[in-house]
Every structure is written in structure tokens, then in C-alpha cells.
Amino acid sequence: MTKEYTITGMTCTGCLAKVKRTINGIEEIQEAAIQLEYPQAKIISDESLDLGEINLALKKVGNYAISEEYQETVQAPLPKIKKQEPLAEKSITTYKPLILIVGFIAVVTALSQYPFNEFSGMLWMRHFMAGFFIVFAFFKLLNLTGFANSYRMYDIVAAKWKAWGYAYPFVELALGLLYLLNIAPFFTNMVTVIVLGISSIGVIKSNLNKKKIKCACLGDVFNLPMSTVTIVEDLSMVAMAAAMLVFT
């Protein structure tokens, strides 16, 4: 028999992979087509399924739930599943949005000291970090759930504590405002070193393992693959925060 179901909680390809692996692991299920588009699941089985058992298995891998939507039908070919957007190849063109955003922030924050009679590198770094955190937090907040799910795929803290993925953009926003207003500079720089230093660990591990993971630095807006660009981005911010700790 073939039945169609709705699955709640899936927001990205990572969710899709976990749900598909879990459902296909149920002994009574012959074949299951899972997709993000509606209807999310079409399952072929020899007998009626115990949705309670399937939901227990899904709860172990995330906040997912399956519910019945349609009556039993005659077995038919599985529907074609729309292919998920593949990660772009690693190239200068791929990272053009990231390079432009960082470049604009760097130039605008430098121009804030015009006419450059007494240009201060430390002041530029503080303004740059303020702009960086505020702009990057904005992109993450456009789709908070999408960012959190992508971030969990590689961050060592978010992987164990899901709430951190939802809190991280707000931490970035708070740091950006603190840098902009120059409030508690020692505390702000110290938190930046710790937060981005820990975040860099997951990024470095993912690159060393050569995992094909979507980079969440610009939230869920751009399809950027994880690469050494992300490592340079995080470690540069750590270095600037550390420099301000030492020299100011």
C-alpha cells in the first residue's frame, strides 16, 4: 500500500537527509520518497504503519513529526523529487557576495575618518567590527531557523545545544552595537575572541574533513560552500579583537 504524509520540522537539506535516513530505517517500510515540497512523504509498506513508532524515531534525530494526510491508494510509481540546490563550486565568483560585503564595510568604515589627518587603525578596526557584526547579523535574522539548522551542521556548540544557533545572530548584533558605541571595550573584545575562536574550531574541522557543507556566515540567503575563506573571516576578526585587547 502507498500513503502520503506530511512531515513538520524540515527546513533544509540537512533535515531532509536525517528524516529520510530515519524513515527508511523502519523495518515495515519498503520504500519512502521524502522531499521538502508538499506532500513531504510518500511511503510504500506491506502493512499499516504505526505513526507513533515513527514519530518516536524522528524525535531522536530532531524536532520532526509525521502525520497522515491521505487515504490509502493503489500502489503507484514514486513521485519525482525536486532536486535540492547543490552547493556552488569554490571560486572567486562564488564568494563574490561575501567579498563585496566585507569590502564595502572596510571602505565605508575607513571613510568615516575622512579627511584622514590623523587616521587611526584601532578606530578603523572598531568601526569595521561594528559594521561586520551588524550586517552579518542582519542576513542571519532574515531566516533565523534556516541559519540555525545550517549552523548546527558544523559548529561544535550549536551541534550539542540547538538554542545557540538561534541565539548567535543576536550575540553578533549585540557585539556590533557595543563596538559601535564603544561600550565596555575590554569585555566586548574578550567575548569576540572567545565566541569567534570557538566558532572557528568547527569551521576548521569541517574543512580538514573536506565536508561539503553550506556556510552559514551570511545566513540562508546565499549558497556559499564552507572553505578556507570562512576560516580567514573568523580568524581575522579574532586577530583584530585580540589586537585591540593588547594595544588599547
Side-chain angles (χ1 to χ4, degrees):
M1 63 181 68
T2 300
K3 297 185 73 172
E4 291 180 334
Y5 301 87
T6 293
I7 300 176
T8 57
M10 293 194 303
T11 58
C12 63
T13 54
C15 298
L16 178 68
K18 288 190 286 186
V19 169
K20 185 174 182 179
R21 183 169 58 250
T22 301
I23 290 180
N24 277 303
I26 305 294
E27 185 177 352
E28 295 83 1
I29 293 176
Q30 287 185 358
E31 190 174 359
I34 313 295
Q35 60 185 20
L36 292 175
E37 292 75 20
Y38 183 87
Q40 290 98 335
K42 191 167 186 178
I43 299 176
I44 299 175
S45 61
D46 290 328
E47 55 189 72
S48 296
L49 297 176
D50 183 350
L51 295 187
E53 178 186 346
I54 298 176
N55 278 320
L56 285 175
L58 290 174
K59 286 293 183 184
K60 293 179 180 179
V61 297
N63 190 28
Y64 313 115
I66 186 171
S67 59
E68 189 173 329
E69 280 289 310
Y70 294 93
Q71 298 298 317
E72 295 178 7
T73 61
V74 177
Q75 181 167 331
L78 291 173
K80 292 183 178 180
I81 299 176
K82 182 180 178 181
K83 292 184 179 180
Q84 301 300 316
E85 183 182 4
L87 284 175
E89 294 297 324
K90 297 177 181 179
S91 67
I92 294 296
T93 303
T94 300
Y95 293 100
K96 183 178 179 180
L98 179 61
I99 294 170
L100 285 175
I101 290 170
V102 173
F104 282 158
I105 295 171
V107 171
V108 169
T109 50
L111 289 174
S112 67
Q113 296 188 56
Y114 180 84
F116 313 120
N117 294 327
E118 295 181 2
F119 185 84
S120 170
M122 289 296 165
L123 181 59
W124 172 79
M125 283 195 290
R126 179 167 68 80
H127 286 166
F128 174 82
M129 294 179 77
F132 180 95
F133 280 129
I134 292 172
V135 171
F136 276 60
F138 164 78
F139 281 105
K140 293 178 176 69
L141 290 171
L142 288 176
N143 183 358
L144 184 57
T145 299
F147 162 75
N149 287 324
S150 296
Y151 196 50
R152 290 180 63 197
M153 299 298 291
Y154 62 88
D155 185 74
I156 60 175
V157 177
K160 296 181 179 180
W161 183 35
K162 187 177 180 179
W164 177 240
Y166 289 90
Y168 187 82
F170 295 98
V171 172
E172 275 197 334
L173 179 59
L175 287 172
L177 294 174
L178 289 172
Y179 275 115
L180 182 64
L181 300 174
N182 199 25
I183 297 174
F186 179 83
F187 168 80
T188 304
N189 287 311
M190 183 61 69
V191 171
T192 299
V193 170
I194 294 172
V195 171
L196 289 186
I198 293 174
S199 179
S200 300
I201 296 173
V203 175
I204 293 170
K205 286 177 64 178
S206 296
N207 277 276
L208 290 176
N209 294 333
K210 296 183 179 179
K211 292 182 178 179
K212 293 184 177 180
I213 298 176
K214 181 177 180 178
C215 175
C217 56
L218 287 175
D220 199 41
V221 178
F222 297 102
N223 185 28
L224 301 179
M226 184 74 69
S227 73
T228 52
V229 173
T230 315
I231 299 177
V232 172
E233 170 202 319
D234 283 355
L235 293 184
S236 296
M237 297 296 286
V238 172
M240 283 192 282
M244 285 190 284
L245 272 175
V246 174
F247 296 110
T248 61

